[in-house]
Structures are given as structure tokens and as C-alpha cells.
């Protein structure tokens, strides 16, 4: 029989973490982080990592597993999640995946086959040679022409992802987006997908307030520590919440401007998260409001009780 898994998805700051704790307490669950950045140690504030007292004794996985200089791919995440699901279910516990990294969660739940994206070192070296001579701009412009959807997801200075996306097109004749669409949409698990959404303006206000609180809690100092360690070009530092402060440390921008850019980028990311989840997966959505979120969580818990009873 297929193992049952609950996945809680939705945009940043909508209340996923709080809901995951309530579900875990009621249904004997343990939580796997579905956030691609919470895996890094020392990146706590900017990733909105759950605090120890907030866990309420619930075991959490894929949090603080790597150092910030290490890489962590979608394939790595998929493999780790599968291992944790096996281990959690072996103890008759319910695995709960919670997060907003859409491709990561989709890959883990729907058995994405990474073998379809074969590497070609010759092509990689060709692109890297172009970067060395001309910079990244020509390749990013090329990516915008051949795969505009993927280009919209990648920062122009992220050499690794730009090269990878172009390499996929050249080796397969298809864009990364097309390959993902062709993947088998069946899952090796019984997946219960719960989505949280909120009025867009309310969500944006929550995002702005959350960032103000992050700054008050020491976000700038957290990023400064990583920057002083020489990690500004690490994969982990490309994340929203970290990359925005690099110009400040270089003396190129004022701090307030960097904070405003972070708020803008976070709002845009939330919009992209909505689009991804709405288009890619069959999710049961619940609209929440800050003042009535506990009542809505009660409805979700009752709905889940009925669904799990039938599994």
C-alpha cells in the first residue's frame, strides 16, 4: 500500500509552519521542511526558520543539515525526503512536508526523474568559457530567448543556473519547463495536498511586517557574518533575504534601500509561488485571514480527520 503523506504549501508568510504543528500534534506526525534554504546552518532569520520552542516537541527534518558553503540540489532534496519518509513511516508516524519551494516539493512527491537531464561537460565548458571572456549577460540574454519561463526564475548573476538551463536546451532540444511538464504526474505516495492562500494585499502587508521584524531580530548581522566568511558567491547566498544585502556591505547601496528591495523581492516571490502551485499540482486550497486563522485551522483539521479515516 502507498504511504500517506500530507504536504502543506503556499506563499511565504501565510501560516504554513503554524498549521503544520497543529496537524502533527493531532495526527501523530513528524515534519520535513520543504524549504530549500532552511537546510543551511546559520541561516535562521532570513529563512524564517522555526525556533526550537515553536516545534512543541515535534521532530523536524532537513533543517540545519548543511553548512552554507555546500550545494543542495533538487535531486538531493528528493533523495533526502524519500529517506525521511521511509524512516518516519517505519515508526507509524505521519510524514508532513511543509514549505514553499514548489519544484522541490513536486520532485519529492511525484517522483521526478532527474536522469532525463543528462550533463554534457563539453557544453558546460563552452558556456563557462563565454562567461570568462564576455561575462554572464550574453548567456542570460540567450536564455531569455530560448526559455523565457526559466529565465524569469533565475537571477541574471546566477551563473550556475543559467548555464544549467542552457545546457538542458542544447542537450535535449527541450526547455527545462517542457521536461518538467512531461514528467509522470502520478505519485508513489497517497499525497494529501493542502494549500493556504490569503488576500493578496493582506499577504503583502504581512510580508512587509515580517521583514521589519527580521531586521529587528538581527537579519543584517546574520547576513554580515556569512559575508565576512567569504560566502557571497555560495548557492545559499543567492536566496531572497541574503543577496539583497550584499550591495550594502560593498558600500554600493544604503541599508534602507536594500530592505525595500527585499520586501519587493519577497512580494514577487509570493506571487510566483501562487502561480507555481496553482498550475502544477492538484491542491485543496483554504483561504485564511490573520484574525480568523485559528478557526480556519480547525476546519482544516476536521477535514483531514475525515480524509485520513478513509485512507
Amino acid at each position: 500500500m502507498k504511504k500517506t503523506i500530507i504536504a502543506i504549501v503556499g506563499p511565504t508568510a501565510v501560516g504554513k509552519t503554524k498549521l503544520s504543528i497543529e496537524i502533527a500534534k493531532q495526527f501523530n506526525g513528524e515534519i520535513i521542511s520543504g524549504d530549500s534554504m532552511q537546510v543551511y546552518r546559520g541561516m535562521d532569520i532570513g529563512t524564517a526558520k522555526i525556533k526550537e520552542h515553536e516545534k512543541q516537541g515535534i521532530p523536524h527534518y532537513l533543517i540545519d543539515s548543511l553548512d552554507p558553503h555546500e550545494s543542495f540540489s533538487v535531486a538531493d532534496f528528493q533523495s533526502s525526503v524519500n529517506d525521511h519518509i521511509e524512516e518516519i513511516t517505519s515508526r507509524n508516524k505521519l510524514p508532513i512536508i511543509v514549505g514553499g519551494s514548489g519544484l522541490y516539493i513536486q520532485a519529492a512527491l511525484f517522483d521526478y526523474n532527474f536522469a532525463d537531464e543528462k550533463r554534457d561537460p563539453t557544453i558546460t565548458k563552452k558556456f563557462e568559457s563565454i562567461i570568462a571572456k564576455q561575462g554572464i549577460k550574453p548567456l542570460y540574454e540567450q536564455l531569455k530567448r530560448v526559455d523565457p519561463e526559466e529565465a524569469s526564475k533565475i537571477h541574471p548573476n546566477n551563473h550556475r543556473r543559467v548555464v544549467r538551463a542552457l545546457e538542458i536546451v542544447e542537450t535535449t532540444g527541450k526547455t527545462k519547463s517542457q521536461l518538467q511538464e512531461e514528467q509522470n504526474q502520478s505519485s508513489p505516495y497517497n499525497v494529501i495536498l493542502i494549500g493556504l492562500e490569503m488576500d493578496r494585499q493582506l499577504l503583502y502587508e504581512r510580508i512587509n511586517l515580517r521583514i521589519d521584524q527580521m531586521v529587528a531580530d538581527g537579519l543584517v548581522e546574520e547576513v554580515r557574518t556569512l559575508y565576512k566568511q567569504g560566502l557571497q558567491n555560495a548557492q545559499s547566498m543567492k536566496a531572497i533575504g541574503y543577496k539583497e544585502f550584499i550591495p550594502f556591505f560593498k558600500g554600493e547601496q544604503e541599508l534602507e534601500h536594500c530592505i525595500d528591495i527585499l520586501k519587493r523581492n519577497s512580494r514577487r516571490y509570493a506571487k510566483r509561488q501562487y502561480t507555481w502551485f496553482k498550475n502544477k499540482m492538484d491542491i485543496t486550497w483554504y483561504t485564511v485571514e490573520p484574525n480568523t486563522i485559528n478557526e480556519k485551522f480547525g476546519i482544516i483539521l476536521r477535514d483531514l480527520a475525515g480524509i485520513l479515516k478513509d485512507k
Side-chain angles (χ1 to χ4, degrees):
M1 290 182 61
K2 289 184 175 182
K3 298 174 176 64
T4 296
I5 300 168
I6 293 175
I8 305 168
V9 301
T12 184
V14 77
K16 301 184 295 295
T17 298
K18 185 177 180 181
L19 175 61
S20 70
I21 295 295
E22 295 304 313
I23 292 175
K25 288 194 299 185
Q26 179 153 333
F27 299 108
N28 195 28
E30 297 186 357
I31 295 170
I32 303 170
S33 171
D35 185 298
S36 61
M37 289 296 120
Q38 291 189 357
V39 71
Y40 292 112
R41 287 183 280 268
M43 302 181 73
D44 303 332
I45 301 171
T47 64
K49 195 177 292 178
I50 188 169
K51 298 178 177 65
E52 201 59 40
H53 73 273
E54 293 173 332
K55 294 179 182 178
Q56 299 186 41
I58 304 297
H60 282 66
Y61 304 94
L62 290 184
I63 292 178
D64 293 337
S65 304
L66 298 175
D67 290 324
H69 69 272
E70 298 180 87
S71 62
F72 187 62
S73 68
V74 184
D76 294 331
F77 176 80
Q78 180 191 59
S79 175
S80 297
V81 167
N82 291 339
D83 289 344
H84 286 306
I85 288 172
E86 290 298 320
E87 198 273 330
I88 292 168
T89 55
S90 73
R91 293 183 283 102
N92 295 317
K93 301 281 188 174
L94 177 65
I96 303 165
I97 299 178
V98 54
S101 299
L103 176 59
Y104 281 65
I105 292 175
Q106 184 185 37
L109 296 182
F110 294 92
D111 204 23
Y112 189 95
N113 183 8
F114 292 93
D116 290 347
E117 297 180 9
K118 296 179 175 61
R119 305 306 301 258
D120 187 329
T122 304
I123 295 174
T124 303
K125 288 180 181 178
K126 179 184 73 172
F127 289 136
E128 289 175 347
S129 176
I130 293 173
I131 293 173
K133 296 175 182 177
Q134 304 177 45
I136 189 64
K137 187 175 180 180
L139 292 186
Y140 187 73
E141 292 299 320
Q142 180 181 343
L143 181 60
K144 287 200 296 185
R145 292 193 298 272
V146 300
D147 189 356
E149 181 177 349
E150 190 64 21
S152 69
K153 304 173 188 174
I154 300 174
H155 190 276
N157 292 330
N158 193 329
H159 296 193
R160 183 182 60 83
R161 289 188 62 191
V162 171
V163 168
R164 184 69 191 113
L166 286 172
E167 184 184 337
I168 289 171
V169 174
E170 191 149 333
T171 55
T172 68
K174 299 177 181 179
T175 67
K176 186 174 181 180
S177 304
Q178 288 172 327
L179 286 176
Q180 290 168 3
E181 287 295 332
E182 293 171 2
Q183 289 287 337
N184 185 2
Q185 287 300 300
S186 65
S187 175
Y189 308 111
N190 282 319
V191 181
I192 302 171
L193 277 164
I194 297 170
L196 296 182
E197 59 184 347
M198 183 179 289
D199 173 80
R200 196 67 56 91
Q201 195 56 45
L202 282 175
L203 181 67
Y204 289 168
E205 290 172 7
R206 279 171 67 93
I207 289 172
N208 290 341
L209 288 172
R210 172 189 265 195
I211 290 170
D212 288 336
Q213 187 61 54
M214 286 177 171
V215 172
D217 289 343
L219 175 58
V220 179
E221 289 73 22
E222 178 174 276
V223 185
R224 192 194 309 273
T225 298
L226 297 166
Y227 179 78
K228 286 184 174 179
Q229 293 173 8
L231 295 169
Q232 67 179 82
N233 294 318
Q235 175 188 337
S236 59
M237 289 287 277
K238 307 296 183 186
I240 294 174
Y242 295 87
K243 63 184 179 182
E244 288 83 6
F245 293 102
I246 302 299
F248 170 65
F249 299 131
K250 289 182 175 180
E252 298 170 354
Q253 289 180 356
E254 295 294 325
L255 178 58
E256 287 304 317
H257 179 71
C258 294
I259 294 171
D260 288 341
I261 294 297
L262 172 54
K263 290 178 178 178
R264 184 202 67 186
N265 288 349
S266 298
R267 294 191 298 266
R268 289 178 176 177
Y269 179 56
K271 185 177 181 180
R272 292 197 303 273
Q273 287 175 302
Y274 267 129
T275 302
W276 174 277
F277 289 120
K278 295 278 188 179
N279 293 337
K280 301 290 186 180
M281 290 187 258
D282 185 15
I283 298 169
T284 300
W285 289 95
Y286 293 86
T287 301
V288 295
E289 297 179 5
N291 295 332
T292 58
I293 196 165
N294 290 328
E295 290 88 338
K296 183 57 64 79
F297 283 1
I299 293 171
I300 294 171
L301 291 172
R302 289 195 293 274
D303 289 349
L304 267 179
I307 294 170
L308 291 169
K309 186 178 179 181
D310 296 331
K311 290 292 182 182

